[in-house]
């Protein structure tokens, strides 16, 4: 539960939604969604481990949740929803069985926000450039000889 509370309190669903929208606007950003999802899961893992006070207990809980989710009769989850089975679970469990990383969750939050802001800026810039190109193409087509008005 501490893991899921970490997702909710840090509003990870908003990061995922923004990444999904950025990927829809610019296809080159699609490969960034999976790493972002993994890092958000790791972030919640670390917060949960800190709250529980035992990294091994948290690792077992993550593994059990992934096993339970894999047996779930539900259809595939929406892309905007974080879940225990997203990301490579063995890597997450192995990371939890190691000593706590030096970076604080606030540092990760800033890094994730900065990466997402860069993706959104790139996506917005590409959209504006495509809009300008379309506008110029329409203007050029209207001024061609023989074009109907």
């Amino acid at each position: 539960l501490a893991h899921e509370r970490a997702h909710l309190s840090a509003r990870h669903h908003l990061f995922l939604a923004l990444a999904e929208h950025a990927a829809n606007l610019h296809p080159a950003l699609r490969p960034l969604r999976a790493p972002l999802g993994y890092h958000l899961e790791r972030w919640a893992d670390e917060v949960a481990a800190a709250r529980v006070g035992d990294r091994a207990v948290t690792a077992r809980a993550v593994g059990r949740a992934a096993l339970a989710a894999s047996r779930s009769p539900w259809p595939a989850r929406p892309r905007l929803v974080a879940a225990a089975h997203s990301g490579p679970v063995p890597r997450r469990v192995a990371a939890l069985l190691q000593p706590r990383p030096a970076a604080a969750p606030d540092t990760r939050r800033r890094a994730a926000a900065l990466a997402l802001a860069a993706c959104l800026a790139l996506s917005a810039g590409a959209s504006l450039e495509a809009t300008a190109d379309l506008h110029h193409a329409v203007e050029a087509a209207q001024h061609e000889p023989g074009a109907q008005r």
Side-chain angles (χ1 to χ4, degrees):
L1 291 176
H3 175 95
E4 298 308 322
R5 285 185 187 121
H7 280 309
L8 291 172
S9 66
R11 303 193 193 306
H12 289 171
H13 58 285
L14 297 178
F15 285 109
L16 290 173
L18 289 172
E20 198 65 37
H21 292 305
N24 287 337
L25 290 172
H26 197 289
L29 297 176
R30 285 187 187 134
L32 297 178
R33 199 249 177 239
L36 176 65
Y38 173 77
H39 288 291
L40 291 175
E41 289 296 326
R42 284 289 300 125
W43 181 357
D45 292 345
E46 291 300 329
V47 170
R51 287 194 182 137
V52 169
D54 189 338
R55 297 177 67 76
V57 168
T58 307
R60 281 194 301 274
V62 167
R64 286 180 180 152
L67 287 172
S70 70
R71 290 185 229 129
S72 170
W74 296 324
R77 67 182 173 80
R79 290 184 295 202
L80 298 179
V81 176
H85 53 85
S86 66
V89 174
R91 259 178 60 198
R92 291 174 50 207
V93 169
L96 282 167
L97 295 176
Q98 300 298 318
R100 186 177 191 280
D106 284 341
T107 304
R108 283 191 217 109
R109 180 184 296 170
R110 280 186 234 128
L114 181 61
L116 188 56
C119 290
L120 290 173
L122 176 65
S123 184
S127 296
L128 288 173
E129 182 182 359
T131 302
D133 287 346
L134 177 63
H135 176 73
H136 292 304
V138 169
E139 288 290 322
Q142 287 178 345
H143 294 286
E144 286 183 7
Q148 295 181 355
R149 294 191 185 234

